[in-house]
C-alpha cells in the first residue's frame, strides 16, 4: 500500500514522501537500537558501530540526493575543508580519522536542509506533521516502557537511557520534553488553557518517566515546558496565574519521584545541601582531578565521569600542558574511535577527561578550539535568522524552547553530536517556520 501511494504521487512529492519514510526509519532505529542491544539481546552490541555508521551514511546520501540550495552546501563543504585542515594538516591525523570524526557533525549540518526540503511543499509538510502526531506519541510510549524496564533492572541512574540505551539518560529526557511540548502545543487552546490541558493530559503524564533516571535537567525542562506552552501576548500574565501553580505542583511531584527512585538506588546522587550541588557540578582542586579520575577508572570498570564544569575549568590547565591548540583544537574525531578505528594519542592520554558527561562547548573546543566555538555561534545565529523562502512567520514559543535547549546543551551534554537528537531538533526547527495559512491561524489566537 505504501508503494502504491508513493507511485501515485508526482515525482517531486514521491521524493519527499520517501525522505519522510527514511527519516522515520533512521529515527526509530537510532532511538531503539540501544535498548535492544543493552537490555534485550546483548550480542547486538557488537553491531552497534556498524549500525550507527549505516545510519550516518543513509543521512549523508539523502542530503546529497535532495539538497540543492547553495547555503547548506557552502556551509557543509567549508566546514569539512576546515575540519580536514585542522585534523590532518595541523594535527597530523589520518584522513580516515577525519572522516570518522566528521560523522559527529552529520546531524548538525545535514538534517536541517533535508527537513526544509520536506516542508518546502505544503502537502508534504502536512503529511510529515500528521505522521509526527502519531509517531511522536508512539515514541513517547516506547521510551516510557524502556525507562521503566531499566529502572527496575538498574535503579535510577545513567543506565536508564530509554530506547537510546545506557548512558543516554540526559538525551532521552530532553527528547521526551521536546516531543511532548510540540505535540501539546499543536493541541492547546490558549483561550481554554486548563480545559485543553486536561483533554490532552496524556502528553503531560508521559513526562513523568524523566524523573526516574536521575536527570536534573528535567526540572529545568519542565519549567520551560509550561512557561512556553501558552502564546506570548496580552493575556500572558493572566495565563501565568494558572500556569505557575500547575508547574509548582508538577515540580513537587517530579521531585518526590526523583528522591524516591534515587533513594532506592545505590548509584543515585542525593543533594542535602548547597555544597552537595556545587560538588556535583564542579570540584575545588583541579590538581587532583586527574588522579581522582584515574583511581575511579581503575576501581570502576574503566569508567569515570569528571563533573561538567570541572572539565571546562580544566581547559586552562590543558592549554598549559598542550600548548598551541587553543585556537584550532586537536582535530575532529577525539571522542570517537576505539572499535574499528584507533583513537588518537591525545584521546589515549586524556581518556579520563573525555569520557562521561561532556558539555557541547567542551566537545567543540577540544576538537576545533576557539575557531570551532566561534563558527558554532555564527551557525546558531544564522539558523535563527535565516527564514525559509516559503515561510511568512515563526512559532516564537517553539523557537524559544529550541534556543533554550541549545543553551542547556552547551553546558549540559553533547547530544547535538547524535543523529537521532538532531533529527528531532531540526525537524521541530523546520516546523517552527509558519506558512501563510498557519501564520494567519496564529495571528487569530
Amino acid at each position: 500500500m505504501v508503494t502504491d501511494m508513493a507511485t501515485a504521487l508526482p515525482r517531486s512529492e514521491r521524493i519527499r514522501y520517501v525522505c519522510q519514510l527514511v527519516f522515520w526509519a533512521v529515527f526509530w532505529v537510532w532511538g531503539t537500537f540501544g535498548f535492544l542491544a543493552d537490555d534485550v539481546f546483548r550480542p547486538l552490541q557488537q553491531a552497534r558501530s556498524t549500525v550507527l555508521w549505516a545510519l550516518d551514511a543513509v543521512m549523508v546520501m539523502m542530503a546529497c540526493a535532495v539538497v540543492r540550495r547553495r547555503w547548506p552546501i557552502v556551509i557543509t563543504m567549508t566546514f569539512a575543508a576546515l575540519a580536514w585542515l585542522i585534523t590532518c594538516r595541523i594535527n597530523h591525523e589520518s584522513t580516515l580519522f577525519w572522516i570518522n570524526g566528521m560523522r559527529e557533525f552529520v546531524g548538525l549540518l545535514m538534517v536541517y536542509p533535508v527537513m526544509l526540503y520536506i516542508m518546502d511543499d505544503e502537502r508534504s509538510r502536512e503529511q510529515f506533521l500528521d505522521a509526527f502526531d502519531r509517531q511522536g506519541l508512539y515514541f513517547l510510549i516506547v521510551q516510557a516502557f524502556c525507562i521503566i524496564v531499566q529502572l527496575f533492572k538498574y535503579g535510577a541512574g545513567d543506565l536508564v537511557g530509554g530506547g537510546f540505551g545506557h548512558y543516554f539518560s540526559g538525551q532521552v529526557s530532553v527528547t521526551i520534553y521536546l516531543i511532548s511540548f510540540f505535540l501539546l502545543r499543536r493541541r492547546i487552546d490558549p483561550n481554554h488553557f486548563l480545559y485543553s490541558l486536561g483533554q490532552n493530559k496524556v502528553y503531560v503524564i508521559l513526562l513523568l518517566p524523566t524523573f526516574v533516571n536521575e536527570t536534573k535537567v528535567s526540572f529545568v525542562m519542565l519549567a520551560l515546558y509550561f512557561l512556553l506552552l501558552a502564546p506570548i501576548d496580552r493575556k500572558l500574565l493572566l495565563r501565568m496565574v494558572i500556569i505557575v501553580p500547575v508547574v509548582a505542583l508538577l515540580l513537587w511531584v517530579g521531585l518526590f519521584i526523583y528522591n524516591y527512585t534515587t533513594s532506592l538506588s545505590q548509584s543515585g546522587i542525593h543533594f542535602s545541601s548547597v555544597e552537595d550541588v556545587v560538588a556535583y557540578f564542579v570540584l575545588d582542586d583541579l590538581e587532583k582531578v586527574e588522579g581522582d579520575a584515574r583511581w575511579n577508572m581503575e576501581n570502576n570498570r574503566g569508567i569515570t565521569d569528571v563533573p561538567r564544569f570541572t572539565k571546562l575549568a580544566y581547559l586552562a590547565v590543558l592549554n598549559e600542558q598542550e600548548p598551541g591548540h587553543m585556537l584550532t583544537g586537536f582535530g575532529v574525531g577525539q571522542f570517537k574511535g576505539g572499535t574499528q578505528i584507533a583513537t588518537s594519542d591525545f584521546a589515549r592520554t586524556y581518556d579520563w577527561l573525555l569520557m562521561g558527561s561532556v558539555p557541547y562547548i567542551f566537545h567543540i573546543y577540544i576538537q576545533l578550539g576557539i575557531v570551532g566555538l566561534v563558527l558554532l555561534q555564527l551557525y546558531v545565529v544564522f539558523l535563527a535568522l535565516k527564514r525559509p523562502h516559503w515561510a511568512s512567520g515563526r512559532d516564537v514559543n517553539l523557537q524559544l524552547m529550541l534556543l533554550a535547549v541549545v543553551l542547556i546543551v552547551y553546558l549540559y551534554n553533547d547530544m547535538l553530536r547524535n543523529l537521532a537528537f538532531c533529527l528531532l531538533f531540526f525537524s521541530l526547527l523546520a516546523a517552527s517556520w509558519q506558512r501563510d495559512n498557519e501564520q494567519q491561524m496564529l495571528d487569530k489566537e
Side-chain angles (χ1 to χ4, degrees), residues 275-347:
E275 288 75 14
D276 291 340
V277 177
V278 174
Y280 173 74
F281 287 104
V282 62
L283 297 178
D284 294 327
D285 193 350
L286 291 179
E287 295 180 357
K288 297 182 180 179
V289 171
E290 182 176 358
D292 292 343
R294 292 201 178 280
W295 185 91
N296 286 330
M297 291 174 66
E298 294 173 0
N299 295 274
N300 193 26
R301 298 180 182 178
I303 299 174
T304 189
D305 192 358
V306 177
R308 295 173 175 87
F309 293 158
T310 301
K311 289 181 176 178
L312 295 175
Y314 194 82
L315 290 177
V317 179
L318 183 64
N319 290 332
E320 294 180 359
Q321 295 175 339
E322 305 286 342
H325 294 275
M326 181 184 297
L327 186 63
T328 57
F330 297 87
V332 298
Q334 302 301 329
F335 295 86
K336 298 190 71 64
T339 52
Q340 299 176 357
I341 298 176
T343 56
S344 67
D345 293 337
F346 172 82

Side-chain angles (χ1 to χ4, degrees), residues 397-416:
N397 294 60
L398 179 54
Q399 291 195 357
L400 286 176
M401 171 63 91
L402 295 175
L403 176 61
V405 168
V406 169
L407 297 178
I408 289 171
V409 168
Y410 278 176
L411 298 177
Y412 180 62
N413 75 9
D414 53 356
M415 64 184 77
L416 278 171

Side-chain angles (χ1 to χ4, degrees), residues 193 223 226-227 229-230 236 238-248:
F193 187 83
F226 281 98
L227 291 176
L229 195 58
L236 181 61
L238 180 60
R239 295 192 187 99
M240 286 297 107
V241 176
I242 301 174
I243 293 173
V244 171
V246 173
V247 173

Side-chain angles (χ1 to χ4, degrees), residues 116-259:
L116 291 180
Y117 172 80
I118 289 175
M119 296 194 181
D120 192 354
D121 178 79
E122 185 173 357
R123 178 174 177 178
S124 177
R125 176 185 174 92
E126 292 176 357
Q127 288 176 341
F128 180 83
L129 294 180
D130 288 343
F132 198 106
D133 286 341
R134 301 187 303 272
Q135 302 294 334
L137 178 58
Y138 298 155
F139 196 79
L140 292 178
I141 295 172
V142 168
Q143 297 309 311
F145 170 78
C146 295
I147 287 173
I148 292 172
V149 170
Q150 291 164 337
L151 175 67
F152 280 102
K153 290 183 68 174
Y154 312 110
D158 292 338
L159 300 185
V160 186
F164 298 113
H166 297 173
Y167 304 106
F168 284 92
S169 55
Q171 178 167 311
V172 74
S173 292
V174 176
T175 296
I176 288 171
Y177 276 96
L178 283 179
I179 293 176
S180 177
F181 177 83
F182 182 68
L183 294 178
L184 186 55
R185 179 149 173 80
R186 280 170 57 81
R187 290 159 176 76
I188 206 76
D189 181 354
N191 297 317
H192 302 89
F193 187 83
L194 271 183
Y195 176 77
S196 57
L197 192 63
Q199 290 293 103
N200 297 280
K201 57 183 176 294
V202 62
Y203 301 106
V204 178
I205 294 173
L206 288 171
L207 298 177
L208 294 179
T210 64
F211 293 103
V212 305
N213 64 356
E214 204 200 357
T215 52
K216 274 64 66 177
V217 73
S218 296
F219 296 97
V220 178
M221 291 298 300
L222 182 65
L224 290 171
Y225 182 97
F226 281 98
L227 291 176
L228 293 174
L229 195 58
I232 302 175
D233 56 18
R234 293 175 298 179
K235 299 180 180 179
L236 181 61
L237 290 179
L238 180 60
R239 295 192 187 99
M240 286 297 107
V241 176
I242 301 174
I243 293 173
V244 171
V246 173
V247 173
L249 175 62
L250 289 174
L251 284 174
W252 181 84
V253 172
L255 184 61
F256 174 80
I257 295 174
Y258 173 88
N259 286 331

